[in-house]
Amino acid sequence: MDGVSLTFGLIFLAVAFWWAVSQVLTVNLPPMGWIVAGGLIFFGVVGLLGAIRSGRREPQPEPVAATAAPATVEVPGDLPPEMHASIVRELLDDPARKFEREHPAG
């Protein structure tokens, strides 16, 4: 639960409570529409300011240069690199073409 959700949940409950009370009692107050509209405008401005503030990004750190150590290829298991490459090629091969090679139309 965050503060924004809690705030709007409490506002919703207050409006629902006010509606329920107004159904039972007759309360003569100034036009509530202006008060509600002002409250909505206020919360809209607060929401916009929060969105603008969260949109600011902190400067990204500079990338760190890689060390000059040579790259090594790690082959999973005890397979020789040739067999591993063959398996990868087979997995990347289009199944439709493989089927056409194995079962020529005829």
Side-chain angles (χ1 to χ4, degrees):
M1 181 183 326
D2 60 299
V4 175
S5 299
L6 178 64
T7 303
F8 280 101
L10 290 174
I11 291 170
F12 178 79
L13 286 176
V15 169
F17 178 75
W18 182 258
W19 175 83
V21 168
S22 70
Q23 295 298 314
V24 176
L25 302 174
T26 302
V27 181
N28 293 325
L29 291 176
M32 289 302 295
W34 288 106
I35 296 172
V36 170
L40 289 174
I41 291 170
F42 172 75
F43 284 113
V45 169
V46 169
L48 281 174
L49 291 176
I52 291 171
R53 182 179 171 115
S54 69
R56 293 182 186 166
R57 295 186 179 173
E58 295 181 14
Q60 298 293 327
E62 292 294 323
V64 178
T67 59
T72 58
V73 177
E74 183 178 328
V75 179
D78 293 333
L79 295 176
E82 297 80 23
M83 183 172 282
H84 180 69
S86 171
I87 293 170
V88 171
R89 264 190 255 104
E90 186 176 338
L91 290 172
L92 293 175
D93 192 19
D94 184 18
R97 290 184 184 167
K98 183 178 178 182
F99 184 81
E100 288 173 358
R101 282 193 307 261
E102 292 176 1
H103 305 284

